[in-house]
Amino acid sequence: MSDSAQQDKDQSAEQGGEQSEEQKRARRWAAVRGAERALWRPGLHSTVGERLARLTDMAAQVYDLDQPVDMYGDRIVETVEERVAGLLGKEAAAFFPSGTMAQQVALRCWAGRTGNPAVALHPLAHPEVHERDALSVVSGLRTVHPTYQPRLPTAEEVRNFEEPFGTLMLELPLRDAGFELPSWEELSKVVDAARERDAVVHFDGARLWECTPHFGRPLEEIAGLADSLYVSFYKSLGGLGGAVLAGPRTLLDEAKAWRHRYGGQVFQQFPTALSALIGLDQVLPRLPEYVAHARVVAAALREGFTAAGVPWSRVHPEEPHTHEFRVWLPYDHEELNEAAVRQAEETKTALFHRWFPDRLPGLSVTEVTVAEAGLELTAEDVRTAVADFTARLPGSAP
């Protein structure tokens, strides 16, 4: 198709009120970028130049840039590994290009040591929902589910589960259940129940960094409950990517061998490693502040929906366990996305980023993250923005 023909097609679609997914994505990206106020400004809404500029501006604050570059996981990559191992109180750590790879390797290694390829985890856990069955297809493991409730399993469910398993994997927080966390006492009992069954415990700690306010414990103490765990650098810390697997030295020595076999022995990773160090230095100390403000924002959203006369809404958890939570509204997701984009375009306030259809017809869900940009919005700002947002929905009074 010629450029002019494509332009005519795009213009016709716009005039007819229809947009391709690519057009919707581009419009949403531009609207959020143009907003003067937002609850969160993720790296994916930046340009390449902006990401490079941030890396260049802050790199010298976290690492000696006169040091040689890394090669196959040495130097700056080892610095990241040692830093994270120290933060988590573990003997050793290994840098991986992705958390998906890190966890597959960890669970595979534990299966070899326990002699049991069964991994007990929640059906909403990341490997079950977002990895195309990689644990079974790539690693030859089998998954079992101690509970189907939208929360992590209880100690009783783990203790009384009818099938044997070698590893219990707990995602902290459980994102697809609304960033859910158990209490510290509940988590400790679950770990004890797994150990009673001679199982090892692995934490999917992609977002473990922001769990300390909820548990009221330092990272080292939380990580100390698990035999191994992985943490991510881009989900909460704003890094370019990357993850670290931490645990006993003998396990990590084996994990590094499997990292090579899985294609994770990357030639050079200094930009990703630098961004990880920046996140550890600049963002990690501020996460408790983000969590505290997320609770203010969640309460203001509930109050705003009630005041606007929305027939039904749900903010979950009511008091967020981390700086992320979920919101449900009884509208079509396309209507909600259009209202969100228009609000960002016309008022320069980006309250919601993207809505998705939920499993129940007519119900949609979004994830809300509160970070540095969101600290500028007061509870009254949020309530006002909710009123404006809901006024843009079908059936609202003019």
Side-chain angles (χ1 to χ4, degrees), residues 100-276:
T100 297
M101 184 187 293
Q103 293 208 126
Q104 284 187 51
V105 167
L107 296 173
R108 180 173 198 145
C109 290
W110 282 126
R113 289 165 182 245
T114 63
N116 189 328
V119 179
L121 76 175
H122 199 283
L124 293 178
H126 196 278
E128 296 289 71
V129 180
H130 302 290
E131 298 179 17
R132 299 191 178 189
D133 302 315
L135 285 182
S136 59
V137 174
V138 179
S139 301
L141 304 180
R142 184 171 66 89
T143 61
V144 295
H145 306 139
T147 184
Y148 288 87
Q149 296 298 313
R151 52 158 175 75
L152 288 173
T154 65
E156 183 178 3
E157 289 167 339
V158 169
R159 185 177 293 109
N160 297 330
F161 189 63
E162 61 271 18
E163 292 191 60
F165 52 86
T167 305
L168 173 66
M169 194 204 90
L170 300 173
E171 183 178 321
L172 301 175
L174 185 56
R175 174 191 176 179
D176 284 344
F179 304 94
E180 276 271 344
L181 285 170
S183 70
W184 176 254
E185 292 72 19
E186 290 168 338
L187 179 61
S188 300
K189 290 177 181 178
V190 168
V191 170
D192 289 342
R195 299 260 164 74
E196 290 172 16
R197 300 186 56 143
D198 296 323
V200 296
V201 177
H202 172 80
F203 285 171
D204 177 336
R207 295 174 172 84
L208 189 77
W209 308 115
E210 63 262 33
C211 293
T212 55
H214 175 80
F215 288 132
R217 300 290 195 284
L219 282 168
E220 183 175 354
E221 188 173 353
I222 299 170
L225 290 180
D227 296 286
S228 65
L229 72 159
Y230 116 83
V231 290
S232 172
F233 295 117
Y234 76 88
K235 289 184 170 65
S236 304
L237 301 185
L240 297 177
V244 155
L245 173 66
R249 189 170 301 279
T250 55
L251 180 80
L252 269 295
D253 288 343
E254 182 185 358
K256 288 180 179 180
W258 280 106
R259 179 181 64 185
H260 197 170
R261 295 181 181 118
Y262 272 68
Q265 193 80 343
V266 179
F267 178 50
Q268 287 188 329
Q269 300 177 90
F270 67 89
T272 305
L274 273 174
S275 71

Side-chain angles (χ1 to χ4, degrees), residues 287-361:
L287 287 177
E289 185 180 7
Y290 300 167
V291 175
H293 198 59
R295 293 167 180 171
V296 173
V297 170
L301 288 173
R302 289 198 308 273
E303 294 162 1
F305 290 131
T306 299
V310 174
W312 181 88
S313 66
R314 178 75 185 274
V315 176
H316 181 77
E318 287 193 4
E319 182 176 282
H321 297 167
T322 71
H323 71 309
E324 299 169 289
F325 55 91
R326 287 191 164 191
V327 177
W328 284 264
L329 288 176
Y331 295 91
D332 180 79
H333 71 287
E334 294 285 9
E335 297 170 345
L336 292 166
N337 282 326
E338 176 63 20
V341 170
R342 285 179 50 216
Q343 180 177 42
E345 291 172 336
E346 297 170 12
T347 72
K348 302 303 179 184
T349 296
L351 193 59
F352 304 110
H353 284 198
R354 190 175 182 187
W355 291 84
F356 299 90
D358 195 37
R359 285 164 290 185
L360 294 176

